[in-house]
Amino acid sequence: MKHLILIILIQFSFICFGQESIENNGEMCRLLNEMINNDQLYRSGEILGGSFGTENNSSKKEIDSVWSLQIEIDNRNTEKLIELTKKYGWISDERIDCPKLNIWLIFRHSQKKYFPEILELITKEHEAKRLNDFHYRLIKNHLEGRPKM
C-alpha cells in the first residue's frame, strides 16, 4: 500500500510540475510578439491585406508568391509555438504579463500537417486550465476546417 501511494504521489508531481517555469518573461514576451508580428507581416500588407488578396490589382502569381512567403513564416511560427508549449505549457498574456499577445493566432494560421500535434497539445492545455475556453474553441475551429461557430 505504501508503494502504491508513493507511485501516485510521484505521478502527480510529474503532472503538476512537468512544465518548466519561464525564467525571463520580458524576453518571452518579445519573442512571442515578434512571432505575432511575423504572422501578420504579409496578411496585413498591400497584396494580401483586407480581403486576403481577392480585391486588389495584383496578379494571381503575385498573390500566390506572397502567400508562399507567409506560409513559410506560419510553419516556423507553428513549430516554435509547439516547442514552447511542450516545454512551458500554454503561454498566456497573463502568465508572462504581456498584454494583447494573441498567441492563439499562430495555431489558427497553421497548416494541416501540424493539426494532430496541435490538437493533442491544446486539448492537454485546455484540460489543465492553462488554455481558456475561447482560445481553445478558436484554434479547434481552425483544425476542424473552420465551420461556423
Side-chain angles (χ1 to χ4, degrees):
M1 183 67 176
K2 288 181 183 181
H3 294 296
L4 180 60
I5 293 171
L6 181 62
I7 290 171
I8 291 171
L9 287 174
I10 290 171
Q11 287 177 335
F12 181 73
S13 68
F14 281 119
I15 291 169
C16 292
F17 304 108
Q19 307 292 310
E20 289 185 33
S21 63
I22 300 169
E23 293 179 17
N24 188 336
N25 288 353
E27 180 60 25
M28 183 63 73
C29 181
R30 186 204 59 75
L31 171 66
L32 295 175
N33 273 309
E34 181 179 312
M35 290 168 64
I36 291 297
N37 288 338
N38 288 338
D39 177 81
Q40 295 299 307
L41 184 64
Y42 296 110
R43 283 182 175 87
S44 61
E46 187 175 315
I47 293 178
L48 302 180
S51 298
F52 298 101
T54 58
E55 294 180 15
N56 64 40
N57 296 324
S58 301
S59 70
K60 180 175 177 0
K61 185 177 180 179
E62 288 173 309
I63 293 169
D64 290 347
S65 178
V66 174
W67 267 120
S68 178
L69 294 171
Q70 184 62 59
I71 289 169
E72 285 180 34
I73 291 170
D74 291 346
N75 288 342
R76 281 193 308 270
N77 278 343
T78 298
E79 291 168 8
K80 186 64 175 175
L81 187 56
I82 287 171
E83 175 190 325
L84 292 170
T85 303
K86 284 180 177 180
K87 186 173 182 176
Y88 300 112
W90 187 254
I91 306 170
S92 64
D93 307 19
E94 303 83 15
R95 186 166 171 213
I96 61 169
D97 191 27
C98 190
K100 299 179 184 175
L101 190 56
N102 295 326
I103 199 68
W104 57 271
L105 278 171
I106 301 297
F107 283 165
R108 180 95 171 153
H109 293 150
S110 64
Q111 302 298 302
K112 286 184 180 183
K113 66 183 178 181
Y114 299 105
F115 286 10
E117 192 170 14
I118 291 171
L119 180 59
E120 182 181 333
L121 276 174
I122 66 167
T123 301
K124 177 184 171 188
E125 294 303 307
H126 185 251
E127 289 171 356
K129 307 283 189 230
R130 290 184 289 261
L131 177 59
N132 69 44
D133 290 340
F134 181 68
H135 292 148
Y136 173 76
R137 286 194 314 269
L138 283 174
I139 297 167
K140 193 160 189 256
N141 172 264
H142 172 66
L143 303 178
E144 294 170 344
R146 297 192 181 203
K148 291 189 178 193
M149 294 175 78

